[in-house]
Amino acid sequence: MPRVLLVEHDPAARDRLALAMRHARFEVRSAGDAEGARRILAEVHPQVVAVRADLPECGLPAFLDLLRATPGAAEAAVIALLPPGTDGIQAIRAALLAGADDALPHPVDADALIEAVRARERRLLASAPAPAAGALDAAPRVAAALDAMRRPATLAILELEDAAAIAATEGHEALRELDELWRARIRGLIPEQGKLFEGPLGEAIIILPPSTPQPRALLAALTGTGQSPVHVGGRELRLRASLGGLTLGRDEDTPPAEVAIARCRHAMRMARAGAHPRLHLYSPEDPRRALDDLQLATLLQHALEQGSFRLVFQPQVEMATGQVVGAEALIRWTLPTTGEQVSAMRLLAIAEDAGLLDEIGSWALREACRQCAAWAEGGLDLPVSVNIAASQFRRGDLGDEARMALSEAGIPGRLLTLEVQESVLATANAQLRDQVESLRVAGVRLSIDDFGTGIASIPLLRQLPVDELKIDQSVVARLPGAIEDRATLDVAQRHARALGIRCVAEGVEHAAQWACLAERGWDVAQGWYVGHPIAGRDIPGFVRRDPAALAAASGDRATAQQ
């Protein structure tokens, strides 16, 4: 999704439009004046700028001059937001003549702005060398292929993640080269009878025939699971895709191709809200679930106001000794209406859509520090790890928030580790580096979460003062895996060891995974094989278990099950 800068001097309109665009999963920064916009332009290099055309002390032409003079932002598309009291057609024409790429009349409709940003994103991708003729309208070819194929068949749309970001940072030639490598990989994975339709850069449509062996595993592989990285322009990039699919059964009527493609796109939106592999197959229940999510968002707001969330803690064990060396805080929420526990993944996805993710993240940070203080009062000096959302990190005040949580709980910074997704740290800018330095001064440790899934894994270890890396559970799940999987593990460990960085494996659920990690001298493991998430009050009892017995039991089980 594109990086968007919203410049609007009316606070109510700014908050309304920024929230709507975040719900649409855009990366949004906002400013109330030209000076604030100038600072953000220099930091994040947005791809789209939506700007009020009558900013105080800076009209649209002057703002456009500022934009074009800012290195890294000069190529950004500009959407002018027209002020009230202007004639629609004349004002739009004037904005376009001034140099804007698009203009929206007052009052600005949030949906219209979202669609305008998406149109800019499509043009960004389309400005690269054009795809094959007819690629932008695949529906007729999809319809013909579905009519000719036996059932059951699977139609799926894949979208290459980070395509717009790669185009902006590496250039269109790099994106085109990456797209060719990606399509070659798709052709090599799908059966000979399968179909791959050409499309815009970063998007592909496939049909899998009924003869496809283990179709679910193949779809996961198409998202990038278990696939090795590629090299483009001297950089190592991981080909990851979101996939939305539709299975057509033997006795089902084939929907019109436009409807089938629309259902795949709906499934893809749901896939993006999940963890890797980002894969979802359309179900007739999906539209109803979308409505349920709106209702859950209301309950989520009430839960935040009433303090209805709770934290559980998953022990982190030193593999060599069995000693508990930390605990990760995980959020839980039980519906007051049915008693059903909402999965953490769904909870966080709904929270993000509702604009509540930062508030819930702040609550979790304070509550985890409070629990850590309670352990310390009982004589247990155990660090706690807290996941930090990308929006919390990009907001700019995470250092202050962490120091306040530590101060309120009365614990030192060394007892707090903040886990940040690799994709956030990969886009390091001056503001992010300042926040990292602020956390370091406070003694807070920094962990790269989901390591091994982003576009620039290893360089991060040298660019930022990282204390810990957590190899992504999708990598651990494949262990002992093939030679390539173990090589990924070894490379990460070798670089981390050279820099004094602790290596943590999450999602260790089986003896064979434990054995593979132990054989390589991995530092720390967590997962159901080691210990289930438990209430904070139960952590001291878990810690008091004989660590030697824990290590020996885990080793014996690993040996027995190899």
Side-chain angles (χ1 to χ4, degrees):
M1 288 297 178
R3 297 184 300 276
V4 181
L5 170 60
L6 172 65
V7 190
E8 166 62 75
H9 58 78
D10 179 355
R14 184 170 67 246
D15 291 346
R16 174 178 63 87
L17 296 174
L19 179 60
M21 287 194 288
R22 290 189 181 106
H23 285 181
R25 305 199 181 281
F26 297 154
E27 183 182 326
V28 182
R29 295 286 298 275
S30 61
D33 54 29
E35 178 58 27
R38 184 189 62 77
R39 290 193 297 269
I40 295 174
L41 285 170
E43 291 174 3
V44 302
H45 302 161
Q47 294 152 295
V48 180
V49 177
V51 56
R52 180 73 174 256
D54 62 339
L55 285 177
E57 303 179 1
C58 183
L60 182 61
F63 181 85
L64 290 172
D65 289 342
L66 169 67
L67 176 69
R68 303 310 177 203
T70 303
E75 300 301 319
V78 175
I79 302 172
L81 310 180
L82 302 181
T86 53
D87 178 86
I89 296 177
Q90 294 299 325
I92 289 174
R93 182 177 296 142
L96 296 179
L97 289 174
D101 298 281
D102 202 348
L104 298 176
H106 186 86
V108 177
D109 179 75
D111 289 337
L113 178 57
I114 289 169
E115 182 52 40
V117 173
R118 284 179 174 150
R120 293 299 116 192
E121 180 186 25
R122 288 193 292 269
R123 292 191 182 187
L124 174 66
L125 295 176
S127 62
L136 300 182
D137 184 13
R141 288 170 291 135
V142 168
L146 287 175
D147 287 343
M149 188 166 289
R150 295 186 298 108
R151 299 289 187 271
T154 301
L155 173 69
I157 295 180
L158 296 93
E159 188 175 272
L160 189 62
E161 294 183 8
D162 302 320
I166 292 169
T169 58
E170 302 296 323
H172 288 305
E173 279 302 310
L175 177 59
R176 184 184 61 77
E177 183 179 349
L178 189 67
D179 183 80
E180 290 177 355
L181 292 170
W182 180 51
R183 292 180 191 279
R185 176 170 289 179
I186 293 173
R187 291 188 191 96
L189 286 171
I190 65 176
E192 185 177 349
Q193 299 81 8
K195 300 291 184 182
L196 169 62
F197 300 92
E198 296 297 326
L201 288 178
E203 180 177 296
I205 299 178
I206 64 168
I207 300 178
L208 299 181
S211 59
T212 303
Q214 297 182 310
R216 183 80 185 192
L218 174 57
L219 292 175
L222 288 168
T223 68
T225 299
Q227 304 299 306
S228 57
V230 298
H231 292 83
V232 175
R235 289 191 60 186
E236 181 181 277
L237 302 176
R238 292 186 177 274
L239 295 174
R240 297 193 303 173
S242 300
L243 185 150
L246 172 67
T247 299
L248 302 169
R250 287 187 177 86
D251 301 324
E252 294 181 33
D253 292 333
T254 301
E258 293 83 357
V259 173
I261 291 173
R263 289 177 179 174
C264 288
R265 293 195 185 282
H266 180 89
M268 185 189 295
R269 285 194 294 272
M270 300 192 72
R272 289 197 197 106
H276 289 283
R278 292 203 168 107
L279 160 64
H280 183 79
L281 294 179
Y282 179 86
S283 163
E285 298 296 317
D286 286 351
R288 187 166 66 184
R289 176 168 176 169
L291 179 60
D292 290 343
D293 285 352
L294 292 176
Q295 297 168 338
L296 284 177
T298 301
L299 294 175
L300 202 62
Q301 177 70 61
H302 294 326
L304 185 60
E305 295 168 354
Q306 298 165 7
S308 301
F309 303 118
R310 62 187 177 93
L311 291 182
V312 294
F313 298 85
Q314 186 164 51
Q316 298 174 324
V317 172
E318 187 175 66
M319 296 192 70
T321 65
Q323 180 74 46
V324 178
V325 293
E328 180 181 359
L330 303 170
I331 193 166
R332 295 292 184 264
W333 178 41
T334 302
L335 286 179
T337 52
T338 64
E340 172 192 0
Q341 181 169 293
V342 180
S343 72
M345 189 62 66
R346 191 177 183 197
L347 186 159
L348 296 176
I350 295 170
E352 184 175 7
D353 283 343
L356 300 174
L357 192 56
D358 286 5
E359 292 181 71
I360 293 175
S362 297
W363 172 87
L365 177 59
R366 295 192 304 272
E367 181 65 15
C369 289
R370 187 201 64 77
Q371 179 61 72
C372 186
W375 293 334
E377 289 174 5
L380 178 60
D381 203 32
L382 187 70
V384 67
S385 297
V386 182
N387 288 278
I388 297 299
S391 53
Q392 286 178 274
F393 216 104
R394 290 167 179 152
R395 198 174 55 202
D397 60 354
L398 182 60
D400 294 337
E401 186 175 7
R403 283 193 297 272
M404 183 175 297
L406 291 168
S407 176
E408 290 175 352
I411 60 174
R414 64 179 175 80
L415 291 180
L416 176 63
T417 297
L418 298 184
E419 298 186 8
V420 185
Q421 287 188 339
E422 177 188 346
S423 58
V424 177
L425 298 178
T427 57
N429 53 40
Q431 182 193 56
L432 185 145
R433 293 178 184 277
D434 288 345
Q435 287 194 86
V436 170
E437 182 57 31
S438 175
L439 292 169
R440 297 285 292 181
V441 170
V444 177
R445 292 167 56 85
L446 186 65
S447 173
I448 303 182
D449 200 13
D450 299 336
F451 188 83
T453 63
I455 62 173
S457 300
I458 298 300
L460 283 179
L461 302 182
R462 300 185 181 278
Q463 294 171 4
L464 293 172
V466 176
D467 301 284
E468 174 184 286
L469 69 83
K470 293 187 76 173
I471 199 76
D472 185 61
Q473 57 186 334
S474 66
V475 178
V476 175
R478 296 192 298 271
L479 296 179
I483 294 176
E484 293 81 2
D485 296 319
R486 297 193 294 275
T488 298
L489 208 65
D490 294 340
V491 168
Q493 185 184 41
R494 183 170 64 252
H495 284 273
R497 287 272 171 82
L499 297 169
I501 296 172
R502 185 169 77 168
C503 298
V504 180
E506 61 179 337
V508 179
E509 298 184 353
H510 305 293
Q513 296 165 352
W514 173 280
C516 182
L517 293 163
E519 180 185 350
R520 284 163 169 73
W522 206 257
D523 297 324
V524 176
Q526 69 178 86
W528 282 28
Y529 189 73
V530 175
H532 289 211
I534 54 179
R537 64 178 179 273
D538 296 329
I539 284 290
F542 189 94
V543 173
R544 284 194 294 270
R545 296 168 59 183
D546 182 2
L550 177 62
S554 298
D556 290 344
R557 291 196 303 268
T559 302
Q561 296 183 37
Q562 276 185 308

